[in-house]
Amino acid sequence: MIYRLDRFVENSINPIVGSEYDNSWIILILTDSSEYQQMCGSSNGCAYTVKVSRTRCEECEMAICDFIEFNEANGKNVILVMSESDLEKAKSHYDGHRYNEHFLREKEPVILVHSTPMDSWKLIKRDGMLKSWNKLKAENSISEKQPIGTSLGDPIDFSDYIMFGGGITGEIVVNSKQQGKIVMDENAEYLTGARLYFDAKRMAQDGLLIRDGCHLKVKDILPLKPYLIWTATWETIGLASQVSTPKIFAEKADKQLQAILNYNN
């Protein structure tokens, strides 16, 4: 079900039912913040909440409606905190689109990145595919009791998906796994793993790419072939050792990939 509210307080009491939230609830708040494009997490006992800034998020209408469509398709109860006119504007802008449409949108990246620790990369190569955290856990392939995203309040069903992105985000995740806590410092030293670059256009065309309003992701598994374009490790990008920082590793890897793509063209 979809519920819209003009005002909302982030705490443990669900204003729709008057009791505490269960895992079926998720929230999106449209804001005017200049501090972020999107911000996700859970605070004060509230359900998982996505905040989207209309002033910073260029595609905020698409994000709102992807969020609605994805969560509605997955049986979630959705609370939208925005005016009726903002919701209608978003729906009008979104007309003709779907959260799992089989093409890349004009402003979506053509290459998506997934970063993983080196030990995990060895298993990925052996299996010939990426697998979601929940799938790996079901196979007893990992010893982690819970994914690192749990620290941010991520719902357990988030772990049914393989997450993709760009920039330093994936390296922040790898470092955070090593530290056992969220570490946002892009200059913190860590043991680099593998940075995998995937063909987003092909993923979308084959019906694998899913948009939930704040992530681009694939459910359960993604074969390396034919989607993997290139893999960066400390050796392939010419670092002196496996120890680096998220900023240095991501920037050097991205620069080398661009050189490879330019050469091939």
Side-chain angles (χ1 to χ4, degrees), residues 48-65:
Y48 187 82
T49 301
V50 176
K51 296 178 181 178
V52 180
S53 170
R54 77 172 92 228
T55 61
R56 291 287 308 278
C57 182
E58 188 177 358
E59 294 291 292
C60 69
E61 292 94 351
M62 300 298 287
I64 289 167
C65 293

Side-chain angles (χ1 to χ4, degrees), residues 115-117 133 144 148 172-181:
S115 299
T116 188
W133 191 94
E144 293 175 307
I148 192 64
I172 292 293
V173 173
V174 171
N175 187 27
S176 296
K177 285 181 178 180
Q178 290 174 13
Q179 302 302 324
K181 61 182 179 180

Side-chain angles (χ1 to χ4, degrees), residues 136-149:
L136 289 168
K137 192 65 175 177
E139 296 174 352
N140 294 314
S141 297
I142 52 177
S143 59
E144 293 175 307
K145 292 183 178 180
Q146 58 188 22
I148 192 64

Side-chain angles (χ1 to χ4, degrees), residues 98 111 221 223:
R98 292 298 311 278
I111 294 174
I221 64 170

Side-chain angles (χ1 to χ4, degrees), residues 10 40-49 152-154:
E10 286 183 81
C40 310
S42 176
S43 60
N44 300 323
C46 193
Y48 187 82
T49 301
L152 296 175
D154 287 0

